[in-house]
Amino acid sequence: RLARELLRGPTAAERSAASAAEVAGRWRAWPTGRIFPEALRYGLDQGAPERASRVGVSPDTACADAVDPPLAASLVVRGCRAVLRATYLDQLQGIAVTLGVAAFPDEPSARAAVPWFPGRGEVAPGLRALGFPDSVVARFGDASRQVASLAQRGPYLVAATVGYADGRPRLPAGRQQDELAELGPQLVEGVLRPLAAPAAVRCGEREWVC
């Protein structure tokens, strides 16, 4: 019986557990440039595809530092492991988008955190804007947040805070450019899709535990 157990292949449950563990560890295992590529593609008004360029990535990954204080406690109590943030510029360099990847232990924990983020038409309490000194987004701060977007899949929740790169204060909805609302969800999906994609389990290889 022992020999049969040692020689058998992995069960479906073991493969599933190995895949889930690999996906949940990507935020730590993947290099920064894989999570936040130098450029993300998007499209506006059925025009030609455009590219948003990465300006910088925050070295700080603490969950509580990446979001507004009222939201921080809700993330931590649900097991938030880290929030990775990067800021992108649209192709015309007028719109800044801070993307935040919140990593949780599992899918239920991430899903439970979704309702605590801003609802439609709101920006706070939410992901904090990330500006970089001596860059085009140096003036982009929390007061500049115009719109927000959010998506969750697997153990990850990806949020976007969008505003004007010149740091202008939040404008009434009717005065905001349509691109603000269209850009965020596309960049969110560009980061979330590969990060949460199911893993191809290879139990015979050294890095896999099945």
Side-chain angles (χ1 to χ4, degrees), residues 6 20 50 59 75-76 119 195:
L6 292 175
E50 299 183 48
L75 296 189
V76 173
L195 188 61

Side-chain angles (χ1 to χ4, degrees), residues 50-182:
E50 299 183 48
R51 293 162 63 90
S53 301
R54 189 186 69 209
V55 179
V57 179
S58 173
D60 183 8
T61 63
C63 298
D65 295 339
V67 298
D68 294 315
L71 178 58
S74 297
L75 296 189
V76 173
V77 78
R78 283 160 182 80
C80 180
R81 292 175 166 174
V83 177
L84 316 179
R85 283 188 301 163
T87 294
Y88 286 78
L89 267 175
D90 74 325
Q91 189 159 300
L92 295 179
Q93 298 193 353
I95 298 175
V97 183
T98 294
L99 297 175
V101 174
F104 292 85
D106 49 40
E107 194 274 341
S109 300
R111 188 174 63 245
V114 170
W116 295 92
F117 277 79
R120 186 176 181 85
E122 301 176 349
V123 296
L127 182 71
R128 299 189 63 193
L130 178 65
F132 291 92
D134 302 319
S135 76
V136 181
V137 299
R139 296 182 179 179
F140 182 50
D142 291 340
S144 312
R145 294 180 291 188
Q146 305 286 334
V147 298
S149 58
L150 181 75
Q152 177 266 322
R153 198 170 303 138
Y156 296 107
L157 187 156
V158 179
T161 283
V162 187
Y164 295 104
D166 61 11
R168 72 188 73 174
R170 192 178 188 206
L171 302 173
R175 295 178 55 194
Q176 295 172 357
Q177 297 175 354
D178 293 339
E179 288 85 347
L180 290 170
E182 296 178 29

